[in-house]
Amino acid sequence: EAGRTAGGGAMLRVHFTAEDLLHVTFAPEPLPLVELGLALAAVQRTDAPAVFGRWRHRALRELPGRARPLFDLLRPDGDNPPFVEPYARTLDEGLADVAAAAGRLTGRELHRAAARAPGSASWLRALWDGDREAWTRLDGALRSAYEAVVAPHWPRIRQSFRADVAWRTRLLAAHGIRACMAGLHPRAGWDGTVFEVAAPPHHEARLGGRGLVLMPSSFWTGRPLLAGHPSGAHVLLYPALTPLPLVGPEPAEGPLDALLGRTRAAVLHLLVEQRTTTEVARALGISLPSVSEHTRTLRAAGLITTERDGKAVLHSATALGVDLLHSGR
């Protein structure tokens, strides 16, 4: 059901029952075609430029021409047709699930996909009509895009995924579900048993006792996305604490680097003492926009606080951040 809050602002609102609060789990692993869909959405986004800017330019250069039609299906808001992002554990299983969707797609789904496509919708209509050539083209586009954008980075994607789940599982055990989920986004919070993220577009859903699966993505940078799961539960896709560009090519030296990335971990270390954005940038030799990206994510996770003192912006680690530093050692 969709609507508006009393103040008229657009947001995500997820209604939990008491039973739902007892059935919040984490996905066991990242899923190839889900990550591909979010990766292609991320390529088209313009937010978080300090972290994702170079990665986006490189990914666009490396993306084969035969994969470009996917931009008609996989849009930057991440609200993609579910049949292109099946919850399959391997690429081959996922592609088989995509192929099996032929003949089940509705006219309403076609209308929505065509309205969102930046290019010609003719090949989308051919897909919905069951045209064999169009489905072969889709299979080839997914394979080539996966090999270019996702496959080379799969160990790093898994590292980001596992570190995020390990951290939030610990947070859940120590502080409960409210603290665990409030750190999923800078504008996330709770109104009673309703989880809210104050960012558009507006979407309201009731879990109805079916539970919720939390799934981090190292590609996604936007507001958490709510989707259905074949089991009947809902899935909440959210940005992993360490996005792919910050995951080092080598194995992390410790749990803190695995969770935050080396630069972001260094920012948190510095903020045991209160510092300004400029002081952090100077100490680490990074740009002011980069510091702002890092502090925004650390603040959203409840690891630092930020306050203004005149024109200066002051950051300092919270008790939770200090606790993480101690556990990381």
Side-chain angles (χ1 to χ4, degrees), residues 11-16 21 177-185 187-198 203-205 207 212 214 223-226 236-238:
M11 63 171 59
L12 171 67
R13 304 186 79 236
V14 183
H15 296 256
F16 285 73
L21 292 170
I177 187 61
R178 293 172 69 90
C180 175
M181 292 188 61
L184 298 182
H185 188 273
R187 302 181 69 181
W190 289 84
D191 180 9
T193 57
V194 181
F195 174 69
E196 299 181 335
V197 184
H203 181 70
E204 196 150 350
L207 300 183
L212 184 69
L214 300 177
R223 189 193 79 176
L225 302 168
L226 192 68
L236 193 69
L237 293 150
Y238 64 91

Side-chain angles (χ1 to χ4, degrees), residues 6-184:
M11 63 171 59
L12 171 67
R13 304 186 79 236
V14 183
H15 296 256
F16 285 73
T17 66
E19 186 176 359
D20 291 315
L21 292 170
L22 297 174
H23 290 87
V24 176
T25 60
F26 289 92
E29 58 188 339
L31 302 175
L33 287 185
V34 173
E35 291 300 320
L36 175 61
L38 295 175
L40 292 182
V43 165
Q44 301 170 76
R45 295 177 66 84
T46 57
D47 58 339
V51 175
F52 272 89
R54 290 183 180 178
W55 174 85
R56 287 178 177 131
H57 289 302
R58 185 170 61 253
L60 280 170
R61 287 197 311 268
E62 296 172 353
L63 192 68
R66 67 185 304 200
R68 301 281 170 158
L70 292 175
F71 288 146
D72 290 331
L73 278 171
L74 303 169
R75 305 300 300 133
D77 62 5
D79 187 14
N80 299 322
F83 83 94
V84 197
E85 299 178 334
Y87 296 114
R89 295 181 59 185
T90 69
L91 176 64
D92 287 340
E93 289 175 1
L95 292 172
D97 288 346
V98 171
R104 298 202 309 261
L105 304 180
T106 67
R108 181 179 179 181
E109 291 172 319
L110 169 61
H111 178 76
R112 186 170 187 274
R116 289 160 50 83
S120 170
S122 60
W123 89 277
L124 296 181
R125 295 191 184 95
L127 271 181
W128 261 258
D129 289 341
D131 180 79
R132 181 175 298 179
E133 182 178 344
W135 282 89
T136 300
R137 183 183 183 191
L138 175 61
D139 181 88
L142 290 169
R143 288 181 187 274
S144 61
Y146 180 83
E147 290 302 320
V149 179
V150 175
H153 311 294
W154 192 249
R156 296 166 60 206
I157 293 168
R158 293 178 67 186
Q159 179 179 325
S160 171
F161 182 97
R162 290 174 175 177
D164 189 279
V165 170
W167 159 242
R168 297 195 194 277
T169 300
R170 182 170 179 270
L171 193 60
L172 176 64
H175 301 279
I177 187 61
R178 293 172 69 90
C180 175
M181 292 188 61
L184 298 182

